[in-house]
Amino acid sequence: MAKIIDGKAISAEIRSEIKEQLKKLDKKPGLAVIIVGNDPASKVYVRNKRLACEETGIYSEIYELPEETTQKELTELITVLNGCENIHGILVQLPLPKHIDAESVIMTISPNKDVDAFHHENVGRIMTGAPRFLPCTPAGVMELLARSGITVEGKECVIIGRSNIVGKPQAMLMLAANGTVTVCHSKTHNLAEVCRRADILVSAVGKAKFVTADMIKEGAVVIDVGMNRDENGKLCGDVDFKSVEPKASYITPVPGGVGPMTITMLLKNTVAAFEQSK
């Protein structure tokens, strides 16, 4: 039976460390979060980010803009926040309304305040091994592994999914940790065969219970980044937990695995941005 990697407990541990760190400071790191429109999931994420800031002692400003906000109005707000001395991190909640070009908006954020690590400059720094900030979800995965005593060095690491938010940066972080990395996607031949080579398997494909026991090597570490609904509407991951858990050595649950780590890594990046601004 696999050991469960408890993302809630590890996240709480890191937040406690951040809180203690900030108690010693006269000035607090500041995070600005911008949401455009009324997407219910986005509103929940923004509320959770505000609560996480309150919990750890980070100053936060939330900007809730109407759906009809123009690109010009949004970029003007970001430009103002770029110049604010008490704001060290800026996050624009995605997705944005269809009339706004998300990439252009992200590129407006100062690379020094881009705590999501989506700006092209920060992506390039990750590629070259000199990151300013680490992208939140992949960084959360690396923390889960490290704090569970799982080393990446020398391991066969297989990532399912090649998104700019998770798959690609996850590959770069595992490569930086001296893992041997394979990235799989919709065009990969013999996907199950490739997955069975993995000492560490990370699934970020967004398909409910996509990874089954026959795709897992005995004793593999299985990290489930997916957040889906099953046929009964119940929250689940990419991994068929029930069949895979007896075969894996470690596994993350959904919910309660990778999810709690994403906002925690955002807090870490905000503190890093503050430290770098001195």
Side-chain angles (χ1 to χ4, degrees), residues 123-169:
V123 173
R125 291 178 71 97
I126 293 161
M127 284 288 294
T128 56
R132 178 183 282 117
F133 310 114
L134 297 178
C136 298
T137 300
V141 169
M142 300 306 285
E143 282 279 3
L144 288 177
L145 293 171
R147 290 179 185 245
S148 300
I150 300 163
T151 57
V152 174
E153 184 168 341
K155 301 285 178 62
E156 286 271 358
C157 305
V158 174
I159 299 158
I160 311 174
R162 55 177 168 179
S163 72
N164 291 333
I165 294 174
V166 181
K168 290 178 186 175

Side-chain angles (χ1 to χ4, degrees), residues 86-178:
N86 66 325
I87 295 297
H88 306 95
I90 301 170
L91 181 148
V92 177
Q93 185 66 45
L94 302 177
L96 289 167
K98 290 181 180 177
H99 66 276
I100 297 177
D101 177 17
E103 184 170 351
S104 174
V105 168
I106 288 164
M107 294 299 288
T108 305
I109 300 171
S110 164
N112 295 314
K113 296 189 177 187
D114 167 42
V115 286
D116 257 338
F118 289 167
H119 192 287
H120 290 180
E121 180 181 320
N122 286 327
V123 173
R125 291 178 71 97
I126 293 161
M127 284 288 294
T128 56
R132 178 183 282 117
F133 310 114
L134 297 178
C136 298
T137 300
V141 169
M142 300 306 285
E143 282 279 3
L144 288 177
L145 293 171
R147 290 179 185 245
S148 300
I150 300 163
T151 57
V152 174
E153 184 168 341
K155 301 285 178 62
E156 286 271 358
C157 305
V158 174
I159 299 158
I160 311 174
R162 55 177 168 179
S163 72
N164 291 333
I165 294 174
V166 181
K168 290 178 186 175
Q170 190 71 68
M172 290 301 101
L173 297 193
M174 288 186 146
L175 196 59
N178 298 317

Side-chain angles (χ1 to χ4, degrees), residues 31-266:
L31 174 67
V33 180
I34 304 169
I35 179 173
V36 184
N38 298 302
D39 181 74
S42 291
K43 287 199 161 194
V44 170
Y45 293 143
V46 168
R47 185 189 71 214
N48 289 342
K49 285 164 186 171
R50 176 178 58 78
L51 292 172
C53 286
E54 288 176 6
E55 177 192 341
T56 52
I58 291 173
Y59 168 73
S60 67
E61 294 180 358
I62 309 296
Y63 295 85
E64 299 184 74
L65 308 181
E67 184 85 18
E68 60 271 17
T69 299
T70 66
Q71 180 139 346
K72 183 172 184 288
E73 289 169 333
L74 179 54
T75 54
E76 283 175 352
L77 171 59
I78 292 168
T79 300
V80 170
L81 292 170
N82 281 338
C84 285
E85 288 189 8
N86 66 325
I87 295 297
H88 306 95
I90 301 170
L91 181 148
V92 177
Q93 185 66 45
L94 302 177
L96 289 167
K98 290 181 180 177
H99 66 276
I100 297 177
D101 177 17
E103 184 170 351
S104 174
V105 168
I106 288 164
M107 294 299 288
T108 305
I109 300 171
S110 164
N112 295 314
K113 296 189 177 187
D114 167 42
V115 286
D116 257 338
F118 289 167
H119 192 287
H120 290 180
E121 180 181 320
N122 286 327
V123 173
R125 291 178 71 97
I126 293 161
M127 284 288 294
T128 56
R132 178 183 282 117
F133 310 114
L134 297 178
C136 298
T137 300
V141 169
M142 300 306 285
E143 282 279 3
L144 288 177
L145 293 171
R147 290 179 185 245
S148 300
I150 300 163
T151 57
V152 174
E153 184 168 341
K155 301 285 178 62
E156 286 271 358
C157 305
V158 174
I159 299 158
I160 311 174
R162 55 177 168 179
S163 72
N164 291 333
I165 294 174
V166 181
K168 290 178 186 175
Q170 190 71 68
M172 290 301 101
L173 297 193
M174 288 186 146
L175 196 59
N178 298 317
T180 300
V181 181
T182 302
V183 180
C184 299
H185 45 79
S186 59
K187 305 299 182 187
T188 299
H189 294 296
N190 303 318
L191 176 64
E193 187 180 312
V194 176
C195 291
R196 281 193 293 271
R197 298 203 308 255
D199 299 309
I200 302 172
L201 179 71
V202 180
S203 184
V205 73
K207 292 184 179 179
K209 302 181 182 179
F210 177 78
V211 177
T212 51
D214 65 308
M215 298 170 69
I216 302 295
K217 179 171 77 173
E218 193 75 42
V221 175
V222 180
I223 306 293
D224 191 348
V225 182
M227 189 69 76
N228 314 296
R229 297 278 175 183
D230 66 13
E231 62 278 5
N232 301 313
K234 188 179 177 184
L235 201 62
C236 69
D238 289 351
V239 176
D240 181 13
F241 187 91
K242 191 174 180 180
S243 72
V244 169
E245 190 257 348
K247 202 172 180 181
S249 59
Y250 289 84
I251 192 168
T252 59
V254 176
V258 176
M261 297 296 292
T262 300
I263 292 179
T264 299
M265 293 301 102
L266 171 68

